[in-house]
């Protein structure tokens, strides 16, 4: 059975500011659907504009935090999961703390004195989303916080680690500390490609962490970008997943498994030189609310079974179940109890 503190996540805790917008809004701020970027100066007025909309919602977010909260929800064992990241000492930070604690996650935030809690604009058009993250305090995480005895204790207690690729922009040093600990202690270390810009502009730090990754998650767009950046002349997702799974490893304790989602198309799982395809649960278009958090929820569902040492088929099934629940709701939110069989 999954025990207390078995799964630890580290990442950028962000408050999602989610609103339905239109194509003019996308054009005005030069943003594309199904993409995730970091905010530039030209995007900053967008946050106030969205906050003034009637349909705006504030939801605790950040990719890793979403996945950890979903895993926690699926497990229904208080404190089975832990999470670290950096927030500001402000109203949004307090809200985030309350939100995550109520979700049953054991959060150890670093609280930055100067920067406000990070936000992520979630622009929804026709159920599809575009994410623009203003990291602020999330960008201030330091490995000194991780090394504090009360926080490193969470690392020692955990058997599984999950970190979204987005954290590579903030604290690669913290990632490597956890990765090396996992390799030295036969634990499972997992990351996500997370976004095309991570694969393109944070290639070096991503490559440094890759040998330690026992599982690599991503979607088809990220996988194709990863392939392009590494000069693999293929757009075939199955082939790319296979190549990622065969990338050299830092420790031989675990083989690497690549898990690539493709929206409504089957999930691609590459391990041991073979590829398996798993169909997803199809959803009628009229039931789709928004895809924000779908990939994060997939990982959360997957992890909830993995920490119980279930076979990979069950992990994928649980991932598909969780993603299916989340896309029928606004943001990465869920009903009180899961009914996953």
């Amino acid at each position: 059975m999954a025990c207390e503190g078995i799964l630890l996540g580290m990442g950028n805790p962000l408050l999602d500011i989610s609103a339905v917008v239109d194509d003019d809004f996308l054009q005005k701020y030069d943003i594309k659907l199904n993409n995730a970027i970091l905010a530039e100066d030209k995007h900053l007025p967008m946050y106030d504009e969205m906050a003034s909309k009637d349909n705006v919602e504030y939801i605790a977010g950040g990719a890793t935090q979403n996945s950890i909260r979903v895993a926690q929800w699926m497990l229904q064992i208080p404190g089975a999961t832990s999470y670290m990241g950096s927030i500001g000492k402000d109203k949004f930070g307090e809200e985030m703390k309350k939100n995550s604690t109520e979700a049953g996650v054991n959060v150890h935030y670093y609280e930055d004195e100067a920067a406000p809690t990070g936000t992520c604009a979630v622009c929804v058009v026709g159920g599809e989303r575009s994410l623009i993250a203003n990291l602020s305090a999330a960008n201030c995480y330091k490995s000194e916080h991780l090394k504090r005895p009360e926080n490193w204790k969470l690392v020692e207690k955990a058997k599984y680690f999950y970190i979204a690729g987005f954290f590579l922009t903030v604290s690669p040093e913290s990632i490597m500390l956890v990765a090396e600990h996992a390799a030295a202690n036969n634990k499972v270390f997992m990351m996500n490609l997370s976004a095309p810009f991570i694969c393109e502009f944070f290639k070096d730090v991503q490559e440094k962490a890759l040998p330690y990754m026992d599982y690599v998650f991503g979607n088809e767009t990220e996988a194709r970008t990863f392939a392009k950046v590494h000069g693999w002349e293929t757009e075939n997702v199955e082939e790319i997943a296979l190549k990622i799974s065969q990338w050299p490893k830092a420790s031989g304790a675990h083989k690497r498994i690549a898990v690539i989602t493709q929206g409504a198309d089957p999930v691609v799982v590459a391990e041991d030189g073979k590829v398996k395809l798993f169909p997803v649960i199809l959803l009628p278009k009229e039931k789709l609310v928004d895809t924000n958090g779908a990939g994060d929820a997939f990982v959360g569902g997957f992890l909830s079974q993995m920490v119980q040492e279930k076979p990979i088929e069950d992990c994928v099934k649980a991932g598909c179940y969780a993603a299916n629940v989340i896309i029928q709701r606004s943001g990465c939110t869920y009903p009180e109890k899961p009914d996953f069989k």
Side-chain angles (χ1 to χ4, degrees), residues 249-270:
K249 285 207 75 213
S251 108
H254 306 282
K255 58 189 175 186
R256 180 180 304 106
I257 299 178
V259 183
I260 308 295
T261 59
Q262 311 186 84
D265 292 328
V267 178
V268 177
V269 176

Side-chain angles (χ1 to χ4, degrees), residues 25-242:
F25 186 93
L26 299 182
Q27 275 170 351
K28 177 178 174 183
Y29 290 108
D30 187 25
I31 51 183
K32 293 198 256 318
L33 284 176
N34 295 316
N35 199 11
I37 58 171
L38 292 176
E40 296 169 41
D41 289 346
K42 66 180 177 187
H43 298 120
L44 297 180
M46 174 180 8
Y47 296 87
D48 285 338
E49 188 175 337
M50 289 180 72
S52 69
K53 289 189 179 293
D54 294 341
N55 62 17
V56 69
E57 292 185 88
Y58 296 89
I59 305 159
T64 309
Q65 186 163 247
N66 284 343
S67 296
I68 294 296
R69 282 174 55 221
V70 169
Q72 179 61 49
W73 170 68
M74 292 281 287
L75 284 164
Q76 295 285 313
I77 300 162
T81 62
S82 310
Y83 175 80
M84 282 187 251
S86 175
I87 57 175
K89 286 200 160 176
D90 53 20
K91 183 172 104 255
F92 283 169
E94 284 307 312
E95 191 58 37
M96 191 101 72
K97 239 190 286 189
K98 185 170 143 265
N99 226 297
S100 299
T101 309
E102 279 172 3
V105 180
N106 178 17
V107 288
H108 282 217
Y109 293 122
Y110 167 70
E111 293 182 43
D112 192 80
E113 299 288 342
T117 295
T119 48
C120 182
V122 181
C123 308
V124 179
V125 178
E128 305 291 343
R129 56 80 176 143
S130 184
L131 308 176
I132 304 89
N134 185 9
L135 295 181
S136 300
N139 208 20
C140 302
Y141 192 84
K142 303 281 183 290
S143 58
E144 287 72 49
H145 177 261
L146 172 65
K147 290 175 190 165
R148 284 186 205 154
E150 68 273 24
N151 298 327
W152 190 253
K153 218 186 256 158
L154 297 182
V155 176
E156 290 180 332
K157 200 170 188 180
K159 294 193 177 81
Y160 298 84
F161 303 97
Y162 174 70
I163 302 175
F166 294 118
F167 202 52
L168 288 164
T169 75
V170 172
S171 188
E173 192 189 338
S174 299
I175 294 175
M176 293 313 294
L177 283 170
V178 171
E180 284 161 4
H181 167 85
N185 294 278
N186 280 350
K187 295 179 175 184
V188 179
F189 180 75
M190 302 167 277
M191 285 193 76
N192 201 310
L193 300 176
S194 288
F197 86 86
I198 299 286
C199 304
E200 288 176 288
F201 306 116
F202 293 87
K203 176 176 180 257
D204 295 350
V205 279
Q206 190 180 52
E207 274 185 15
K208 204 176 160 199
L210 193 58
Y212 293 91
M213 297 179 204
D214 299 306
Y215 284 76
V216 176
F217 296 94
N219 67 24
E220 75 279 38
T221 317
E222 295 148 10
R224 288 186 178 123
T225 305
F226 186 91
K228 197 172 91 196
V229 166
H230 290 90
W232 301 345
E233 289 177 1
T234 177
E235 289 248 306
N236 182 311
V237 175
E238 294 175 40
E239 222 173 295
I240 297 165
L242 211 47

